[in-house]
Amino acid sequence: MDQGQKKLYNLVNLEEISGGSQEFINEMIKLFISQAEITIDGFNRAINKKDYATIRDLAHQIKPSIDNIKITTLMPIIREVERLAETESTSENLALNIVTVNSELEIVIQQLQMELN
């Protein structure tokens, strides 16, 4: 991560519940990375098939993790993805929001991987 790039997440929640265990924090980071990669892949497949149920489920599953590591830019967007998928909205907004979520998650994954190293 270059010096000018701001972290898109905040681990304060993990630090609080970890009781100071860096091992716990690292495990939670690895879990998030895995879940985020599955979500990105799932969104890409589902949006091409217009599989709104899968989009809704993926958004619903990752939402608490996004909240937990405080990716504040994605908090409202992931809720909008879930809402639009629930109504099976064919609007461009759904696809655009998924592109935003995926690109932000990819940046967060890179930043978290650097945190682990």
Side-chain angles (χ1 to χ4, degrees):
M1 172 168 38
D2 70 48
Q3 302 300 353
Q5 190 176 19
K6 183 177 169 270
K7 287 182 184 178
L8 298 180
Y9 60 91
N10 185 329
L11 299 178
V12 68
N13 284 352
L14 286 182
E15 290 163 358
E16 284 177 14
I17 62 172
S18 73
S21 168
Q22 190 59 47
E23 189 178 325
F24 174 83
I25 292 170
N26 289 348
E27 285 307 307
M28 299 312 312
I29 288 172
K30 289 175 191 171
L31 198 62
F32 177 83
I33 290 171
S34 173
Q35 184 184 19
E37 288 170 340
I38 290 166
T39 299
I40 291 167
D41 185 52
F43 275 160
N44 287 337
R45 291 172 194 246
I47 195 67
N48 290 333
K49 295 181 194 171
K50 295 186 178 3
D51 181 353
Y52 300 110
T54 297
I55 293 168
R56 184 195 63 233
D57 291 346
L58 287 166
H60 185 74
Q61 289 166 12
I62 193 113
K63 184 173 54 176
S65 298
I66 287 172
D67 292 351
N68 200 28
I69 67 168
K70 296 192 177 292
I71 308 172
T72 55
T73 55
L74 287 184
M75 289 175 176
I77 299 169
I78 199 67
R79 284 161 173 77
E80 181 70 359
V81 167
E82 186 178 23
R83 187 188 69 74
L84 289 170
E86 252 172 35
T87 62
E88 298 189 3
S89 171
T90 55
S91 77
E92 246 181 61
N93 285 344
L94 180 59
L96 291 173
N97 282 333
I98 286 174
V99 167
T100 301
V101 168
N102 284 353
S103 62
E104 294 264 323
L105 284 176
E106 286 169 1
I107 293 167
V108 171
I109 288 169
Q110 289 174 350
Q111 290 179 341
L112 287 170
Q113 286 170 332
M114 293 186 80
E115 185 109 18
L116 290 173
N117 295 335

